[in-house]
Amino acid sequence: MTSDLLAPLDLAFWNMESDRYPMHLGALGVFGARSPTAGAHAADLLATRAAAVPGLRMRIRDVWQPLAFGGAARETDPDFDPLNHVRLHAPTAGFHAAAGRLMERPLERGRPPWEAHVLPGEDGVSFAVLFKFHHALADGLRALKLAAGVLDPVDLPERTPRAIEPPRGLLPDVRKLPGLVPELVKGALSDVGRALDIGASLARSTLGMRPSSALTSAPSGTRRTAGVVLDIDDVHRVRKSVGGTVNDVLIAVVAGALRRWLDERGDGSAGVAPRALIPVSRRRPRTAHPQGNRLSGYLITLPVHDPDPLGRLATVRTAMVRNKDAGPHRGAGAVALLADHVPALGHRLGGPLVGQAARLWFDILVTSVPLPGLGLRLGGNELTEVYPLAPLAPGQSLAVAISTYRGRVHYGLVADGQAVPDLDVFARAVTEEVETLLSVCEP
């Protein structure tokens, strides 16, 4: 039986979870069905192939060894049965309605923390698969690789991580200290300096701040999901007209959609400027240990209050440039990196408190999930739509995940079901915001 310790951030995700705020991510894939029995055949394929994917056999167990006291490790489950993880459901007319109900259910912590739910469509010409992976088992890219292991074979391009130079912090650049200082001490001082930098930035950013009431709520434990599909050519048209990046446009669309949604539901957008966390992956080299999530992030204020769509986009562009200049290792958005400086027992004891503090740090998550440009299939049935679904932080009512697949942008929306019963209105506002940007950008 093989096992490996969870990386600090994975351990944090594992310990901050609660029944009402499960820390699993998801992806809802919609496939064209080549026959009425395509969904049932897909479920059989998923169960058969899952047995051959080692990463899907890994469960998480507590560790009480001296050097990792209070930690957790992944280990192969000797009793792994894929039929405990792959479920075929009755035909449904609404994939997102079914996905919302399934996303609110926590994964079983005694088993490998993942599930695949096959949802045949009542129309007989489509089916969907909802993949759920606990964030401690896999981040977005690793979850994609695990899912690819049970889809039809396809060659995925390898991603080569770039070497990142440690930034200068509050302490001197340790690389310039006298050569007699042991390398271990240099590394420790660098880590302390970086932690102090991040902690100070976090303290400054949260001083006197209150969570945006429009996007926070008492936990209900319920979930709704929705999806929006945009043409990537439309996004590029806006980008080429005003400058910036595709990501700038996609984030500005969220700001504009929030404005429309708040105004339409009667809450009003005047004075609303929620803080958005934009995660940034800092993946470890394959030789690093422990393996696992390595995230930083950018923190920006969404200009929801601004009535000018181009003004909102300009504000987002400026904020993203400022974040990129500072780098993903600096500032309050990099608070996830502090997980590396907390002992295992600290994560176990403080995980719930950290989760509750998230609402003071940011109001909404807006994350991008990479997908391959290649067409994916299951049982020969083509994947036509794929909606990434992010977990909700405690006290927050809405999370947005974005992926681009085969020339189309997919927004996956997850909301607290009681706090946001009108998630379809927000989804429609995303489309309307893009149409508005196109109209004001046309020569």
Side-chain angles (χ1 to χ4, degrees), residues 188-378:
L189 287 174
S190 181
D191 285 347
V192 170
R194 190 176 302 124
L196 288 173
D197 251 359
I198 297 168
S201 297
L202 178 62
R204 287 193 299 267
S205 73
T206 57
L207 187 63
M209 296 295 296
R210 295 181 180 179
S212 173
S213 59
L215 297 174
T216 57
S217 64
S220 72
T222 60
R223 294 291 182 271
R224 292 179 185 269
T225 73
V228 184
V229 181
L230 307 177
D231 191 325
I232 189 62
D233 289 340
D234 290 340
V235 179
H236 279 300
R237 197 169 295 121
V238 174
R239 178 190 62 81
K240 290 176 181 178
S241 175
V242 301
T245 69
V246 166
N247 203 39
D248 294 340
V249 177
L250 297 178
I251 296 171
V253 165
V254 174
L258 285 172
R259 177 181 176 83
R260 294 171 181 273
W261 173 62
L262 291 172
D263 287 343
E264 184 167 341
R265 72 188 333 222
D267 290 342
S269 57
V272 176
R275 290 180 298 171
L277 175 64
I278 316 294
V280 177
S281 177
R282 312 305 304 163
R283 296 192 63 80
R284 297 172 183 266
R286 294 181 180 179
T287 56
H289 185 78
Q291 286 290 317
N293 278 293
R294 178 70 173 176
L295 292 175
S296 180
Y298 298 144
L299 200 63
I300 71 171
T301 299
L302 296 179
V304 173
H305 60 283
D306 190 341
D308 178 13
L310 293 182
R312 292 193 293 269
L313 179 51
T315 299
V316 168
R317 283 180 55 195
T318 300
M320 290 300 288
V321 168
R322 186 183 305 114
N323 273 293
K324 291 173 184 176
D325 287 344
H329 289 281
R330 298 288 296 276
V335 69
L337 297 179
L338 291 177
D340 288 345
H341 305 278
V342 177
L345 188 60
H347 283 296
R348 181 175 293 274
L349 299 177
L353 295 177
V354 171
Q356 293 298 325
R359 64 187 302 178
L360 298 176
W361 170 35
F362 66 98
D363 300 301
I364 183 172
L365 177 73
V366 182
T367 183
S368 178
V369 181
L371 289 178
L374 304 173
L376 300 175
R377 296 176 180 271
L378 178 56

Side-chain angles (χ1 to χ4, degrees), residues 374-394:
L374 304 173
L376 300 175
R377 296 176 180 271
L378 178 56
N381 303 287
E382 183 179 4
L383 177 65
T384 59
E385 304 169 31
V386 56
Y387 302 95
L389 303 172
L392 283 181

Side-chain angles (χ1 to χ4, degrees), residues 102-190:
L102 293 168
M103 283 295 288
E104 66 189 42
R105 302 178 188 174
L107 294 164
E108 293 190 42
R109 291 170 71 92
R111 294 173 174 167
W114 68 274
E115 292 173 353
H117 297 269
V118 181
L119 308 167
E122 284 186 349
D123 55 15
V125 299
S126 64
F127 69 90
V129 179
L130 173 67
F131 289 102
K132 293 169 57 178
F133 294 94
H134 198 286
H135 225 313
L137 179 70
D139 62 3
L141 185 57
R142 178 164 169 76
L144 169 63
K145 291 182 177 179
L146 290 174
V150 293
L151 298 178
D152 293 355
V154 62
D155 293 327
L156 288 176
E158 290 290 331
R159 294 170 64 95
T160 303
R162 295 180 298 171
I164 303 297
E165 288 286 334
R168 293 197 61 174
L170 296 177
L171 298 182
D173 188 339
V174 297
R175 292 169 297 177
K176 298 180 180 179
L177 291 176
L180 295 178
V181 179
E183 291 299 318
L184 183 60
V185 175
K186 290 184 181 182
L189 287 174
S190 181

